[in-house]
């Protein structure tokens, strides 16, 4: 396995969408221009992006690794690469069960008024999903360096 990371190109757009659907995370706002992708010997195996919101909030999002490549450090490589270039505050939202994963990278959970305004709608939708699917949603922040 030789994993390399690179900025996405238009040719990755479909692979990004397919993977996001496969791992069943938020399929909104998947513009390839914002993504980095991970490849194993040229094969697409994972992706992640930082989404800018209109209120200035920057969100680490769409972190996904193909199921057969999970657990081999590729997700960590993608997160670390994005953290390297994001020196300001960075937020994310994730399934509550994934929060321990992000704590490894210095993210801490935020609640109530500390959840950015641009996430509030998602927070409400997340609570509904949690009610029906029995799965909570967590909001997390990494402080500026
Ligand atoms: C979450 C995800 C990106 C992690 O990528 P990965 O390449 O499998 O993760 P890594 O190999 O970097 O890290 C694996 C480690 O994280 C841990 N880990 C993985 N998922 C975890 C979770 N949900 N909660 C806590 N720890 C988790 C593993 O136990 C492993 O621990 P170890 O290093 O002690 O053995 C990947 O599992 C994935 O694509 N999941 C489906 C999509 C998803 O949930 N994305 C996050 C959206 S918010």
């Amino acid at each position: 396995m030789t994993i390399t990371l690179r900025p996405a190109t238009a040719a990755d757009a479909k692979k990004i969408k397919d993977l996001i659907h496969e791992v069943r995370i938020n399929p909104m706002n998947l513009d390839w221009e914002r993504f980095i992708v991970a490849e194993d010997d040229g094969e697409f195996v994972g992706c992640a992006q930082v989404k800018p919101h209109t209120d200035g909030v920057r969100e680490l999002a769409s972190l996904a690794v193909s199921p057969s490549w999970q657990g081999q450090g590729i997700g960590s490589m993608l997160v670390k690469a994005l953290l390297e270039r994001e020196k300001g505050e960075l937020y994310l939202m994730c399934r509550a069960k994934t929060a321990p994963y992000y704590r490894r990278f210095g993210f801490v959970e935020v609640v109530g008024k500390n959840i950015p305004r641009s996430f509030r709608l998602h927070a409400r939708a997340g609570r509904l999903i949690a009610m029906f699917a029995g799965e909570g949603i967590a909001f997390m922040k990494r402080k500026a360096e």
Side-chain angles (χ1 to χ4, degrees):
M1 189 173 88
T2 315
I3 302 297
T4 49
L5 304 185
R6 61 165 175 79
T9 67
D12 299 308
K14 185 175 182 319
K15 291 175 196 160
I16 290 170
K17 284 188 184 142
D18 288 350
L19 176 58
I20 297 299
H21 282 101
E22 184 180 5
V23 300
R24 303 175 71 187
I25 57 174
N26 184 1
M28 309 287 286
N29 300 317
L30 300 180
D31 303 337
W32 64 265
E33 289 94 336
R34 291 192 298 266
F35 275 79
I36 56 169
V37 302
E39 290 179 324
D40 179 18
D41 273 337
E43 183 175 354
F44 178 94
V45 295
C47 63
Q49 66 162 325
V50 172
K51 285 185 199 174
H53 289 266
T54 48
D55 57 359
V57 163
R58 295 182 68 76
E59 176 193 358
L60 172 64
S62 314
L63 174 67
V65 174
S66 296
S68 43
W69 273 272
Q70 288 178 8
Q72 300 180 72
I74 300 169
S76 302
M77 283 175 72
L78 286 161
V79 173
K80 285 178 185 159
L82 290 178
L83 293 183
E84 275 282 298
R85 61 174 215 215
E86 293 287 324
K87 298 299 179 196
E89 283 181 349
L90 195 61
Y91 287 83
L92 63 82
M93 45 191 147
C94 64
R95 295 175 184 135
K97 65 173 191 192
T98 313
Y101 181 73
Y102 288 111
R103 281 193 211 115
R104 294 173 171 218
F105 307 104
F107 283 88
V108 294
E109 280 172 73
V110 290
V111 293
K113 290 203 162 55
N114 292 323
I115 297 175
R117 189 177 285 275
S118 49
F119 282 17
R120 298 268 166 85
L121 193 62
H122 298 275
R124 268 182 246 130
R127 275 194 288 275
L128 278 178
I129 293 165
M131 225 155 66
F132 291 111
E135 202 176 19
I137 183 165
F139 297 88
M140 304 185 82
K141 172 184 177 178
R142 192 209 53 164
K143 289 202 177 107
E145 283 178 6

